[in-house]
Amino acid sequence: QVQLVESGGGLVQAGGSLRLSCAASGRTFSTYDMGWFRQAPGKEREFVGRSNKNGAGTYYAGSVKGRLTISRDNTKNTVYLQMNNVKPEDTATYYCAARAGPTGTSYDYWGQGTQVTVSA
């Protein structure tokens, strides 16, 4: 069992930066791919990006590529989402998720989410 807790959300002006964190419980963090997702009001949850188990490989949705960066510190059981040059359309609740299986399989564990609001 893995518990995920996001933090770092808040209100930020367009063009600004924010760093979200996702802390995981347990001693097997390095065995999970970690993903970030977001859900805006009235919209479906969407994929933002993911990191492989050691952080050497990342993949991003086209809408955030070049502005949002995922990193992880397996010694701290934490994955980060650095958000730069944010836009009002980045406003959403952001969730991290952990996946034990290979690419294409579903995520096994989810955090409770952290709210990001970008003002114009």
Side-chain angles (χ1 to χ4, degrees):
Q1 187 80 7
V2 175
Q3 292 187 323
L4 304 173
V5 179
E6 301 96 335
S7 61
L11 176 64
V12 59
Q13 287 189 328
S17 296
L18 203 63
R19 189 176 81 158
L20 307 184
S21 300
C22 170
S25 65
R27 294 175 286 183
T28 59
F29 180 70
S30 62
T31 65
Y32 292 92
D33 290 339
M34 296 300 297
W36 283 97
F37 295 78
R38 65 186 182 186
Q39 187 168 20
K43 294 189 176 181
E44 300 268 323
R45 185 174 63 194
E46 67 171 347
F47 170 79
V48 173
R50 67 169 182 265
S51 166
N52 69 354
K53 294 171 178 56
N54 63 11
T58 53
Y59 179 80
Y60 300 94
S63 60
V64 306
K65 197 169 184 179
R67 299 188 300 113
L68 275 57
T69 304
I70 296 171
S71 62
R72 65 190 292 168
D73 185 341
N74 286 349
T75 66
K76 296 181 178 179
N77 283 9
T78 302
V79 62
Y80 304 97
L81 180 65
Q82 178 67 44
M83 305 176 67
N84 295 330
N85 189 25
V86 296
K87 304 177 180 181
E89 51 263 43
D90 293 323
T91 294
T93 300
Y94 283 73
Y95 300 90
C96 66
R99 179 177 67 194
T103 300
T105 59
S106 60
Y107 283 80
D108 304 286
Y109 303 101
W110 293 82
Q112 84 291 344
T114 187
Q115 176 67 38
V116 172
T117 302
V118 182
S119 62

